Amino acid sequence: MDLQNSTDHRHPVQPVILLGASNLTRDFPLILRLLKNTVDSPCDIYTAMGHGRSYGNWSRLLYRALPGISKCEIWDALPGKASENPQPLAIITDIGNDLIYGQSSDAIFGWIESCIKQLQEINARITITLLPEASISKLSSFRFELTRRLFFPNNPVSLADLKLSVRYLNEQLSELVNQNKQITIVEIPAISYGFDPIHYRYTQRSALWKSLLAEWELPEIMNQSARNRGLDFIYSFYYLQPAIKRQWGKICRKPQPARILADGTRISVY
């Protein structure tokens, strides 16, 4: 991917808001390749993502911690409703980490609803992915315990409680979407998940993200040939430093945008 510290790009630009956790973080370069080939103008990409990311509270992975998505600085950075740019396009995905952190479905729904309301204030077109209910419903106790101890070792949530919470939260999200026609909700097929019930299969990622971006009615998106690359997962970790994080207990700040691409696309990370 061609990156450079170019000057500010020309207008108009397409605002894109991407909110999520590990799937979004790992596949972010793939999304960039798809957008580059389907959006005529450069993009202003605003993203709040990160492995293990919470929508409401600070979340930690090893030595790094990030603020909750619904409360981070991205909301102060988004363009106003009166902007001359095209309608902002937004995705809210990777909902569910907070269940394994022990948060209630009602609390998580409140955080997602807060994100939606703030996106609606700028007239964004919003796509939301449901939690992987079909995948989790088939989860054995062995697979659940292995996944929990690998990704969330300090959170003793039971499998039975998790299944009930996932179903209830999906029902809340579906009801919210039914009340607003500017929001599209997407259920990820169970085949998109493997042994790990929350992360997308390598072989499914390209087709899956194309189908999600197609909800924005981007021209020719389904005809794109962008593929996964083995080292994509490194890109976000090394090159997209967020505006604020805690590292080894110390607050670290980074000016945004974190990167400017050769075509003028700017990437701001929160």
Side-chain angles (χ1 to χ4, degrees):
M1 191 175 304
D2 188 15
L3 298 174
Q4 64 180 27
N5 292 322
S6 62
T7 58
D8 206 9
H9 51 60
R10 63 187 181 277
H11 292 281
V13 295
Q14 174 63 65
V16 176
I17 301 107
L18 304 172
L19 309 178
S22 50
N23 284 308
L24 175 60
T25 304
R26 182 194 57 199
D27 296 338
F28 190 81
L30 172 62
I31 297 170
L32 286 182
R33 293 193 289 273
L34 290 169
L35 289 174
K36 180 180 180 181
N37 294 330
T38 54
V39 178
D40 292 334
S41 58
C43 296
D44 261 347
I45 300 178
Y46 306 86
T47 182
M49 60 182 177
H51 294 285
R53 191 78 181 260
S54 165
Y55 269 89
N57 297 320
W58 280 81
S59 54
R60 181 173 61 87
L61 178 68
L62 300 176
Y63 56 83
R64 182 273 294 151
L66 295 170
I69 291 173
S70 65
K71 303 171 184 177
C72 72
E73 296 177 356
I74 191 172
W75 307 109
D76 297 323
L78 296 181
K81 189 174 182 178
S83 171
E84 296 180 356
N85 292 326
Q87 181 183 26
L89 306 173
I91 284 181
I92 300 176
T93 190
D94 291 334
I95 304 169
N97 284 345
D98 289 293
L99 289 175
I100 306 183
Y101 289 144
Q103 298 294 333
S104 69
S105 298
D106 289 333
I108 299 168
F109 178 74
W111 295 331
I112 300 300
E113 191 174 30
S114 173
C115 294
I116 292 171
K117 287 180 178 179
Q118 293 179 89
L119 290 171
Q120 288 176 325
E121 288 179 2
I122 61 171
N123 193 35
R125 182 168 184 169
I126 306 168
T127 299
I128 302 175
T129 63
L130 290 174
L131 286 75
E133 184 175 351
S135 174
I136 291 176
S137 68
K138 301 176 182 178
L139 195 59
S140 68
S141 297
F142 171 75
R143 286 175 59 204
F144 170 72
E145 283 300 319
L146 187 62
T147 302
R148 183 186 65 80
R149 295 184 184 189
L150 180 62
F151 296 107
F152 308 93
N154 298 320
N155 301 282
V157 176
S158 72
L159 177 57
D161 287 344
L162 179 64
K163 289 180 177 180
L164 288 175
S165 296
V166 166
R167 177 176 299 175
Y168 179 56
L169 187 50
N170 276 346
E171 290 174 352
Q172 288 178 295
L173 292 170
S174 297
E175 180 62 27
L176 177 66
V177 170
N178 290 336
Q179 300 171 6
N180 194 304
K181 301 304 180 183
Q182 274 196 305
I183 305 174
T184 301
I185 200 161
V186 177
E187 182 177 0
I188 305 297
I191 194 174
S192 298
Y193 302 92
F195 181 84
D196 172 358
I198 61 175
H199 295 116
Y200 308 144
R201 291 177 185 266
Y202 182 84
T203 57
Q204 298 290 319
R205 294 175 195 170
S206 180
L208 179 56
W209 284 108
K210 283 195 287 186
S211 68
L212 290 177
L213 297 180
E215 297 294 337
W216 292 340
E217 297 184 1
L218 297 176
E220 302 298 326
I221 184 66
M222 298 307 294
N223 297 327
Q224 297 305 316
S225 59
R227 297 180 180 179
N228 303 319
R229 295 177 182 172
L231 298 180
D232 272 355
F233 71 96
I234 296 176
Y235 181 79
S236 299
F237 184 79
Y238 284 102
Y239 294 108
L240 299 180
Q241 294 302 309
I244 184 171
K245 65 179 178 179
R246 281 203 303 255
Q247 189 161 304
W248 301 111
K250 179 182 178 181
I251 293 291
C252 302
R253 291 188 173 273
K254 173 74 175 179
Q256 300 299 317
R259 305 291 289 181
I260 302 177
L261 307 189
D263 68 349
T265 291
R266 299 184 295 191
I267 306 171
S268 299
V269 189
Y270 298 93

